[in-house]
Amino acid sequence: MGKTYERIDGRLRDFIEAQPVFFTATAPLSGDGTVNLSPKGLRGSFAVLDERTVAYLDFAGSNAETVAHLRENGRITLMWCAFSGPPNIVRVHGRGEPVFRDDPRWGELVGRFPGIDHSRHGLRAIIVVTAELIRDTCGYAVPLMTYESDRPLHRSRFERETDESLDAYFHKKEHVATSIDGLPGLPLPLPPTPS
């Protein structure tokens, strides 16, 4: 049934990279803090950097719980489900870090996502995850569903934003600079997009 892997390669890597959606789970250290579970999509916004490191683009949105939790404690789990083909669930448990626009690693990291025009989505961070435990399970109860396409709504909403207007948008949102539980979220003012 379930198996533990030492690295993300071969069939496991192929499976992860083929999925149109994955999920992230984080939580604050506080026992009564809010657990966050987020779906992630948009083809081209996820990359395997090496056999134990993955990354995904963190786009504009109305909160920043994942960023806040990672800044506090670094714990994260990523999960992919097979909604078509043979049943399978893969989880990567690890340590994550938000890399912001003013980080010296930004240029090299953003270059790892050639399949998506990140400038159209209000890219605010790149989440880099180092795997500590990699497992798969059967996924027999996951339903069969058909992927049609990415929704165009995120792009159409954020492609008209400049760095300044995006920063203003984030300042208006209650849980972007600070999480639901009061942890530091996205650093504001938003650093400009490197040229």
Side-chain angles (χ1 to χ4, degrees), residues 3 10 12 16-17 23 25 33 35 40 61 63 69-70 78 103 105 116 122 136 141 143 159 188:
K3 182 177 176 184
L12 185 66
I16 287 173
E17 291 179 331
F23 302 87
V35 175
K40 303 295 179 186
N63 66 46
H69 296 160
L70 293 179
L78 308 178
D103 189 293
R105 298 169 291 171
I116 190 166
D136 72 357
E159 68 183 345
L188 296 177

Side-chain angles (χ1 to χ4, degrees), residues 144-177:
L144 288 169
M145 296 189 288
T146 304
Y147 168 74
E148 292 181 27
S149 66
D150 286 342
R151 293 177 192 264
L153 298 174
H154 194 274
R155 178 180 173 154
S156 66
R157 164 60 187 91
F158 288 102
E159 68 183 345
R160 63 182 179 260
E161 299 285 356
T162 64
D163 285 347
E164 294 76 22
S165 66
L166 195 58
D167 184 66
Y169 169 81
F170 290 146
H171 272 91
K172 287 188 240 173
K173 295 295 178 182
E174 184 179 7
H175 298 298
V176 170

